[in-house]
Amino acid sequence: KTDSVARGEYPIDLHGSSDSQYLDADLGETKESIPNDWQYIKGGLFQIPAGVLIPEKINGLLAAEKNISVSRTVNGATRLQPVTMLTGQAAGALAALAVKQKTQPREISVKEIQKTLISAKDRISLHRFDDLTENDSDWKYGEYAIVRGLLEPELENRFGSKTQLVFLELRHIFEQLTGLRKTAIDRDPFEPVTCGTAAEWLTQLTEGEKCESALRPFIAALKQNGENPLTKMVTAKIIWNWDDVKGEK
C-alpha cells in the first residue's frame, strides 16, 4: 500500500467473539468470512494505512493503538502489542510533524510520515531484503521507492540495487512522479537505460512543462554519469529527493 505507515503479521484473534452477531455486518463481515490464518502458510504480513490514525472530523486528535479505525475482524490482528507499538510510533511521528509545521495532522502528507519513519529504520513495506538491510546507508531510498510502488524488488528477498532499469520502467516512474502521460518511447521499451540516455529522454519530454525546472538538477546529475547504467538505487535516490525539490507534500 502506498499509504502504509506500519505493518503487522499477527493472525486474526477474536477469542470468543467471532460469531456474526459481534461482527460488522454493514461491512459484510460474517463468521464464515474470517480467514483461518493461524496456519503459517495462510497468514502473512499486512500493512496499515495512515488514514486509520486520523479522525474523520475531529482536529488535534490521533488514534494510536487499539482505537485505530478498523473493523471488528481486522481489530483481531491489529490490537496485539507488536502491532500497536508500530501504530503508536507512526502516530507519534505524525503528531511531531504536525506540531513542527503548526498544522493539523490531516494536513501532513503520507510521504512525510513515511520518510520520517523510514529514516528511523522502520520497515513499512512488505519486504525484507538480504542485499539491502536497515544498516545499509542506502536502505531508506530502496524502502521508500518500494512502498511508493515506483520500483519492484528483483526477488521477494532481493532489492537489486545494481540492476539496470529498462525504458519501460523509467517511463512508469516518470509518469508517476510528474503526472505527464505523453511519454511514448521511440525505442525498445526493454532496452537497458544509461544515465546519459535517460537525461536526453527526460530533457525532450519535459521541455516547456511545469516540471522542467524541478527535474533540471536530476537531469544534470544523470548527464555527469554519462554511460554508467541507470540502476535501481540511483533511481531510488531520485524518487526520495523528488518531492523535496519539486516542493510538493
Side-chain angles (χ1 to χ4, degrees):
K1 297 180 68 67
T2 58
D3 56 353
S4 170
V5 293
R7 67 179 197 172
E9 59 178 349
Y10 206 90
I12 294 174
D13 186 8
L14 297 175
H15 292 273
S17 303
S18 58
D19 290 338
S20 296
Q21 61 179 316
Y22 300 117
L23 304 178
D24 292 319
D26 57 327
L27 299 177
E29 291 185 347
T30 64
K31 182 176 182 178
E32 293 72 27
S33 68
I34 300 174
N36 179 21
D37 55 2
W38 280 92
Q39 299 179 29
Y40 177 77
I41 58 173
K42 292 185 178 180
L45 287 171
F46 58 86
Q47 292 169 294
I48 301 174
V52 304
L53 309 176
I54 305 172
E56 182 179 3
K57 298 178 180 179
I58 302 175
N59 285 327
L61 179 68
L62 289 172
E65 208 209 40
K66 295 178 177 65
N67 58 343
I68 63 175
S69 180
V70 293
S71 71
R72 180 69 182 88
T73 297
V74 174
N75 179 259
T78 59
R79 66 179 180 80
L80 287 306
Q81 292 306 304
V83 183
T84 59
M85 286 191 293
L86 295 175
T87 55
Q89 183 180 9
L94 174 52
L97 287 167
V99 170
K100 183 178 181 180
Q101 298 183 27
K102 298 180 179 180
T103 188
Q104 291 297 328
R106 68 181 73 256
E107 300 300 323
I108 302 297
S109 76
V110 174
K111 298 172 188 176
E112 287 185 275
I113 307 170
Q114 290 172 333
K115 284 186 175 182
T116 300
L117 293 169
I118 291 172
S119 294
K121 299 185 178 181
D122 191 0
R123 295 198 304 271
I124 55 178
S125 77
L126 293 175
H127 298 274
R128 183 171 188 166
F129 302 116
D130 294 335
D131 64 329
L132 188 65
T133 71
E134 299 95 317
N135 295 322
D136 295 323
S137 59
D138 288 342
W139 174 80
K140 67 178 185 179
Y141 305 116
E143 178 75 358
Y144 183 68
I146 291 292
V147 82
R148 286 283 311 278
L150 295 173
L151 286 176
E152 291 291 331
E154 190 170 88
L155 296 171
E156 181 67 23
N157 61 345
R158 179 177 174 79
F159 178 73
S161 297
K162 297 181 179 179
T163 301
Q164 189 171 6
L165 262 66
V166 299
F167 267 98
L168 193 63
E169 294 172 310
L170 177 60
R171 181 177 68 177
H172 166 71
I173 295 166
F174 173 78
E175 290 179 344
Q176 294 301 311
L177 290 179
T178 66
L180 294 178
R181 292 295 183 270
K182 64 170 191 176
T183 56
I185 301 176
D186 57 356
R187 60 182 74 213
D188 183 354
F190 298 99
E191 176 187 341
V193 185
T194 66
C195 292
T197 54
E200 293 174 6
W201 187 67
L202 292 173
T203 299
Q204 294 172 1
L205 287 174
T206 57
E207 186 176 0
E209 298 289 348
K210 292 181 179 179
C211 63
E212 182 179 8
S213 60
L215 268 174
R216 196 170 294 139
F218 298 114
I219 291 175
L222 289 170
K223 285 181 178 178
Q224 289 180 354
N225 285 281
E227 294 306 308
N228 290 333
L230 179 64
T231 64
K232 288 177 66 174
M233 183 50 68
V234 169
T235 307
K237 290 180 179 180
I238 290 175
I239 292 170
W240 176 276
N241 290 301
W242 168 254
D243 301 318
D244 297 332
V245 173
K246 196 168 185 290
E248 283 190 349
K249 289 188 177 182

